[in-house]
Amino acid sequence: MMRTIARYGVRSVPGDEKEIIAAFRRGEAVQGPAIAEYEGRFSEYHGLDHAVTASFGRMAFYYILRALDLPTGSEIIFPALTFWVVPEVARRAGLTPVFVDVNPATFNIDPTRIEAGISERTKAIVPTHLYGQPCEMTEVMRIAEKHKLIVIEDCAQAAGASYRGRTVGTFGNASFFSFQLLKGINTYGGGMALTNEAALAKRVREQALNEPLPTRGDLIQRFIAGLTVRALVSPKGFTFWGVPIQATASRFGHYDFSKYLWERIRPLDPFPRNYRQRYSNVQAIIGLRALTKLDDFNVRTRQHALRYTQGLADCRAIQVPRVLPGAKHVYYQYCVYLSDPKSASRLAIRRGVDFETTHVDVCPALPLFKEFSMQCPGAQATEQALQLPVYSRLRPADVERVLSVVRALANDQALPRDQSAIQATATSAGGDHSERHARAN
């Protein structure tokens, strides 16, 4: 039987299931010593002093914002291309998101556009290390220092990545990480706030500890759901459900069902119940195991990415990812540009290979942020990107199979724009910010 390849893979360490069961049997699923140990090991890995666990990465971000005690209505700069929930959490904290366009060659915030988005009300900037690629943090920090802005790094997709020899999450005043199912560290949910500022960490911890404990039933449901998804995206599981359903649907248009799996875009007022919980001891046990394997996992994704880059080097119809000088990309996603990514994904699934076309949101284009609507050609250009499976669980033979499929599909497509044109697209963005603040001030 043909080995199929899902777009996502779930990271896990052999023996995780036994550790989960053992924690429940010992009565240490909800509370226990692993939480403090995990926080200590996580901060040590990053060379900082303080780490605080939370129910979600987004809640770690929320606690950071609340701990900073910024004036209501303060503006925070976000990249136009990010997960919608992050700027919505800022709004939930009483703050105002301001979006800055991205460089479509890197998918990250364009530093040349940041200052146009700054006003007298701007208090912070949230650089998102999207798809595992670090932002240009030297320039981001220069701008932040010039304008006396707080920097909070969004490292949800970039655990273990580094920029000029320094691990992401250690540049700004604070950072936050996600441990959701598909992230670099998977603890079946959860997140972490990281900082070197003792007073800030104390205020974050007070909020996290003020949340109610999860019940054993909550945790059982969490692990059953996570382990089920892990089985469904395995080669055997995906062969029996994903490929037949999606391949059939692909003949009737764009077949992507992933929108039904992601959280519904909506105002987060009030927060859902599962947001308002504490991180559990059993999750920390899994986190400790995952942290020891993080660098090994990331080495494998970089190896897969390197093979893709080498294998597509002579394919003029495809533009491979651009990696910033001095950046160590961990490839949460491997994004290529080609002329018709939706058509390519439809054809690929019929060959047993699943490609993603859109993973995060062009936030200014969402009804949720209609009052902040702006032109963001750099972010919109990323809709031409196709994301190849690159996760650490892939075998070398799987990588070769993906390569052969994408090369075959590319033969019938033309590259929509070259590197210089993509850069020009990003360069044309940003004018709306200066006009906006001229009116606002």
Side-chain angles (χ1 to χ4, degrees):
M1 181 179 291
M2 176 181 65
R3 180 177 165 90
T4 63
I5 302 171
R7 67 183 66 177
Y8 303 121
V10 177
R11 287 183 176 180
S12 62
V13 179
D16 276 353
E17 297 87 346
K18 292 182 180 179
E19 293 292 336
I20 292 169
I21 294 169
F24 276 94
R25 287 177 172 171
R26 291 194 308 270
E28 293 185 349
V30 178
Q31 292 180 288
I35 297 173
E37 184 181 358
Y38 184 36
E39 290 173 342
R41 295 278 183 87
F42 195 86
S43 59
E44 182 182 351
Y45 176 90
H46 291 88
L48 296 186
D49 291 336
H50 306 284
V52 183
T53 51
S55 60
F56 284 84
R58 65 199 69 170
M59 290 305 292
F61 178 50
Y62 179 72
Y63 300 149
I64 291 168
L65 293 177
R66 293 288 300 274
L68 290 169
D69 197 25
L70 301 174
T72 300
S74 294
E75 294 181 348
I76 299 188
I77 290 176
F78 293 92
L81 186 69
T82 191
F83 183 34
W84 67 271
V85 79
V86 181
E88 175 59 16
V89 162
R91 192 158 58 174
R92 179 74 169 77
L95 307 172
T96 301
V98 172
F99 296 105
V100 169
D101 206 1
V102 302
N103 181 339
T106 65
F107 299 90
N108 283 334
I109 194 166
D110 186 342
T112 68
R113 300 298 157 200
I114 293 174
E115 289 190 283
I118 296 173
S119 78
E120 62 184 13
R121 294 184 294 279
T122 307
K123 301 299 181 185
I125 179 171
V126 182
T128 302
H129 305 296
L130 197 66
Y131 297 149
Q133 163 117 274
C135 294
E136 298 175 71
M137 290 307 297
T138 300
E139 187 62 14
V140 170
M141 295 305 298
R142 183 192 69 78
I143 295 168
E145 290 167 8
K146 175 182 175 181
H147 295 277
K148 297 181 172 56
L149 301 180
I150 294 165
V151 176
I152 307 168
E153 296 174 68
D154 180 349
C155 305
Q157 298 184 358
S162 63
Y163 181 70
R164 298 187 176 180
R166 188 169 171 180
T167 308
V168 299
T170 66
F171 289 86
N173 302 80
S175 58
F176 61 98
F177 295 76
S178 173
F179 305 140
Q180 296 300 103
L181 192 65
L182 302 178
K183 296 300 195 298
I185 294 177
N186 162 37
T187 69
Y188 299 89
M192 189 82 80
L194 185 68
T195 182
N196 230 17
E197 301 177 15
L200 179 61
K202 181 176 182 292
R203 292 192 292 271
V204 169
R205 187 175 299 280
E206 288 171 349
Q207 295 177 76
L209 292 177
N210 196 44
E211 303 288 8
L213 291 167
T215 66
R216 285 171 57 92
D218 290 333
L219 295 175
I220 290 170
Q221 289 180 8
R222 178 188 298 274
F223 285 114
I224 289 175
L227 294 170
T228 299
V229 171
R230 198 178 89 185
L232 289 175
V233 298
S234 69
K236 289 183 179 179
F238 194 65
T239 296
F240 286 104
W241 79 271
V243 171
I245 293 174
Q246 294 186 101
T248 300
S250 73
R251 301 182 182 280
F252 300 93
H254 189 48
Y255 70 91
D256 192 357
F257 294 111
S258 65
K259 63 182 180 181
Y260 300 110
L261 303 177
W262 302 120
E263 188 171 357
R264 181 174 60 87
I265 299 174
R266 69 207 188 282
L268 292 176
D269 189 10
F271 281 137
R273 173 182 170 273
N274 63 332
Y275 282 28
R276 310 304 308 239
Q277 290 183 345
R278 285 160 64 176
Y279 192 72
S280 71
N281 191 68
V282 66
Q283 290 172 277
I285 291 171
I286 300 303
L288 284 165
R289 292 165 57 81
L291 185 60
T292 64
K293 298 294 184 181
L294 176 61
D295 292 339
D296 292 338
F297 286 145
N298 288 341
V299 165
R300 289 205 286 274
T301 59
R302 283 197 295 272
Q303 289 173 340
H304 299 337
L306 177 61
R307 179 65 190 113
Y308 286 153
T309 300
Q310 293 171 338
L312 297 172
D314 64 342
C315 190
R316 298 183 62 185
I318 291 179
Q319 180 177 305
V320 299
R322 173 195 167 195
V323 180
L324 292 171
K328 184 178 283 187
H329 199 321
V330 295
Y331 294 99
Y332 179 73
Q333 298 284 358
Y334 184 95
C335 300
V336 301
Y337 280 102
L338 71 172
S339 62
D340 191 348
K342 290 185 178 181
S343 173
S345 66
R346 288 197 302 269
L347 295 173
I349 194 63
R350 298 173 199 172
R351 304 182 188 200
V353 178
D354 191 22
F355 293 152
E356 174 75 283
T357 54
T358 303
H359 188 73
V360 290
D361 307 292
V362 181
C363 288
L366 297 176
L368 182 64
F369 300 110
K370 60 183 178 183
E371 65 268 41
F372 310 114
S373 179
M374 55 171 275
Q375 293 298 313
C376 44
Q380 289 166 339
T382 67
E383 294 175 353
Q384 291 296 109
L386 187 71
Q387 298 166 2
L388 310 188
V390 72
Y391 45 89
S392 57
R393 297 179 75 95
L394 291 175
R395 300 175 182 176
D398 296 333
V399 174
E400 296 302 322
R401 180 126 175 280
V402 172
L403 259 180
S404 66
V405 169
V406 75
R407 284 181 62 90
L409 296 174
N411 288 336
D412 298 326
Q413 297 204 15
L415 185 66
R417 51 180 67 82
D418 60 18
Q419 180 73 22
S420 61
I422 286 180
Q423 294 283 18
T425 300
T427 302
S428 69
D432 288 359
H433 286 112
S434 56
E435 294 174 6
R436 170 188 178 276
H437 288 297
R439 293 193 298 272
N441 294 330

